Amino acid sequence: MEILVTGCAGFIGSHLTKKLLQDGHQVIGVDSLSDYYDVSLKKDRLKQLVHPQFIFVQNDVSNEQQMKKLFEDHAFDRVIHLAAQAGVRYSIDHPESYIQANILGYFTLLECCRHHHIAHFLYASSSSVYGGNKHYPFSEEDHVDHPMSLYAATKKSNELFAHSYSSLYKLPTTGLRFFTVYGPWGRPDMALFKFAKNILNNQSIDVYNYGEMLRDFTYVEDIVEGITRLMDQIPQENEAWYEEGCHTSESFAPYRVVNIGRNQPVKLLDFIETLEKELGKKAEKNFMPLQKGDVPNTFSNTENLQKLVGFIPETSIEEGIHQFVQWYKEYYQIEEALYEQH
Ligand SMILES: NC(=O)c1ccc[n+]([C@@H]2O[C@H](COP(=O)([O-])OP(=O)(O)OC[C@H]3O[C@@H](n4cnc5c(N)ncnc54)[C@H](O)[C@@H]3O)[C@@H](O)[C@H]2O)c1
């Protein structure tokens, strides 16, 4: 298939693109290479993707003219939209970036997909849509009307926009609610990356909510497996939706939202301990209260994912952290001996 992946230079997008190429697809990747974090890391991810079946286009998804041209030049079989302004904490001080990328950019994609009758539009939502929900594990049937950050509100809006397009224009859409993704080539603004960096540099780490929060950390390869399996589960119109109980994860329209998480939340302090063991080094911890915008726990119900594609993420935290540390040390050329001497 010919597949458009937006955010292809990002953490999840680069892993996904690699897998799609391995599976024999042709991938057109779009990314603006935004400077939210180290652009050279994004460029290095792209270097891993050099392949005769891959074309990279540097473009902002909110640039309507350029996106229209791209859709005119290609006949995409699938569109997987991952480009976004990510991060909960950054949204507190930089709300405008989220409106530009996550609302305007998302709208541009929807419009292109409807005019070109795309067979399946999949897009990144987030576990953050569960916001103030305390009904664990988070099910797609739970209410998601109480976002704790603008980031979460944009992701929830994406789901609502998707439903309106699924309903009005019969555009099949799948919203992917990812739960705290981690692994090699990860994001420098996320906990694992910051912890590893600081521990290796003998700097203290900030541990929010005094380490008591639970996160359903999900390994990036599992996320990618979930996406590629869902790609061919195209939601259909369903007249019987009302009689079947009006499940909020689906609709009368060709619409679906699905959790991709591991269903095994880990306490932040235990996650740090696993990292310490892997690095062979203790962290100096700076205990802090829960940050504004953050939720105390995330915990994914994976029944829907299992039912749809017969798969749930299973990579253990030990294995995932091991893979991350191996990559981190190699990428930043950290010699064992160098940090062991501290
Ligand atoms: N990593 C996680 O734990 C997680 C959890 C839930 C949801 N998500 C969502 O998954 C998606 C991918 O996340 P990620 O962790 O790979 O983040 P990332 O920041 O590494 O990747 C996003 C990519 O999108 C690009 N981008 C940003 N704005 C753009 C724009 N306007 N036009 C074109 N490209 C643009 C960035 O340059 C970046 O390379 C995002 O939508 C994010 O909100 C991620």
Side-chain angles (χ1 to χ4, degrees):
M1 289 195 287
E2 190 172 16
I3 302 175
L4 172 65
V5 176
T6 72
C8 66
F11 170 36
I12 302 171
S14 57
H15 282 272
L16 173 68
T17 301
K18 196 169 178 192
K19 163 89 169 127
L20 292 172
L21 292 168
Q22 278 166 0
D23 289 350
H25 299 293
Q26 187 172 346
V27 181
I28 313 299
V30 169
D31 202 296
S32 63
L33 302 182
S34 85
D35 62 2
Y36 169 57
Y37 62 78
D38 187 7
V39 175
S40 64
L41 177 60
K42 296 184 182 183
K43 289 185 175 164
D44 286 341
R45 290 184 186 129
L46 285 176
K47 285 184 196 153
Q48 312 297 309
L49 300 177
V50 173
H51 191 285
Q53 296 284 87
F54 178 61
I55 299 172
F56 172 63
V57 183
Q58 184 170 354
N59 194 4
D60 192 308
V61 290
S62 60
N63 185 323
E64 201 185 319
Q65 292 314 318
Q66 287 182 0
M67 290 309 289
K68 273 187 180 164
K69 170 99 176 57
L70 196 70
F71 275 77
E72 277 158 19
D73 291 349
H74 298 271
F76 298 122
D77 299 293
R78 299 284 183 275
V79 171
I80 308 180
H81 178 46
L82 304 178
Q85 175 59 61
V88 167
R89 289 169 198 158
Y90 189 73
S91 70
I92 294 167
D93 297 321
H94 302 87
E96 61 292 337
S97 305
Y98 292 77
I99 300 302
Q100 184 67 35
N102 303 8
I103 300 294
L104 294 176
Y106 184 82
F107 169 65
T108 308
L109 256 293
L110 274 179
E111 277 290 280
C112 290
C113 287
R114 96 154 153 120
H115 287 299
H116 291 269
H117 308 287
I118 296 302
H120 194 185
F121 173 65
L122 301 97
Y123 61 94
S125 180
S126 164
S127 61
S128 65
V129 299
Y130 289 103
N133 183 13
K134 290 204 169 160
H135 178 249
Y136 303 114
F138 295 160
S139 156
E140 295 91 339
E141 300 309 317
D142 293 339
H143 290 289
V144 287
D145 300 314
H146 300 89
M148 309 281 275
S149 65
L150 185 71
Y151 169 70
T154 62
K155 292 294 180 180
K156 160 77 178 170
S157 308
N158 289 170
E159 295 181 356
L160 294 172
F161 285 24
H163 190 272
S164 68
Y165 274 63
S166 298
S167 174
L168 283 170
Y169 311 114
K170 313 299 172 213
L171 173 68
T173 64
T174 296
L176 309 158
R177 293 181 179 170
F178 302 142
F179 282 69
T180 321
V181 190
Y182 75 102
W185 296 98
R187 263 171 42 204
D189 62 321
M190 291 187 72
L192 178 58
F193 197 112
K194 288 198 286 193
F195 290 160
K197 185 176 174 199
N198 285 16
I199 295 172
L200 289 170
N201 289 321
N202 302 308
Q203 285 168 351
S204 63
I205 60 170
D206 290 341
V207 181
Y208 292 106
N209 203 26
Y210 309 98
E212 287 302 315
M213 54 198 190
L214 292 170
R215 282 288 175 274
D216 203 354
F217 292 102
T218 308
Y219 190 58
V220 66
E221 296 299 341
D222 289 335
I223 293 283
V224 164
E225 185 65 31
I227 303 173
T228 52
R229 287 182 185 228
L230 283 164
M231 231 167 53
D232 294 329
Q233 295 298 322
I234 303 179
Q236 307 291 326
E237 286 182 77
N238 180 15
E239 293 290 325
W241 179 75
Y242 291 100
E243 291 87 70
E244 287 169 0
C246 301
H247 293 295
T248 53
S249 59
E250 293 171 1
S251 168
F252 51 86
Y255 163 93
R256 174 179 293 142
V257 290
V258 53
N259 288 341
I260 313 187
R262 185 165 159 265
N263 184 237
Q264 290 180 55
V266 177
K267 207 199 239 188
L268 186 56
L269 275 181
D270 294 338
F271 190 73
I272 294 169
E273 197 184 315
T274 308
L275 176 62
E276 288 173 329
K277 277 192 195 140
E278 182 62 38
L279 293 172
K281 212 170 164 206
K282 281 274 174 204
E284 191 190 316
K285 300 176 192 80
N286 187 15
F287 289 102
M288 316 265 283
L290 188 68
Q291 277 226 319
K292 242 165 92 178
D294 264 357
V295 298
N297 304 316
T298 66
F299 184 176
S300 167
N301 179 318
T302 45
E303 283 169 20
N304 199 16
L305 180 67
Q306 172 77 49
K307 190 183 78 191
L308 285 165
V309 296
F311 162 83
I312 54 165
E314 277 183 349
T315 305
S316 69
I317 295 296
E318 288 75 16
E319 175 60 17
I321 288 185
H322 174 70
Q323 293 298 335
F324 171 80
V325 169
Q326 293 291 106
W327 166 77
Y328 187 94
K329 287 202 275 195
E330 195 188 358
Y331 184 67
Y332 291 101
Q333 297 185 342
I334 294 170
E335 307 279 339
E336 296 274 337
L338 198 95
Y339 72 83
E340 269 174 8
Q341 72 193 10
H342 290 291

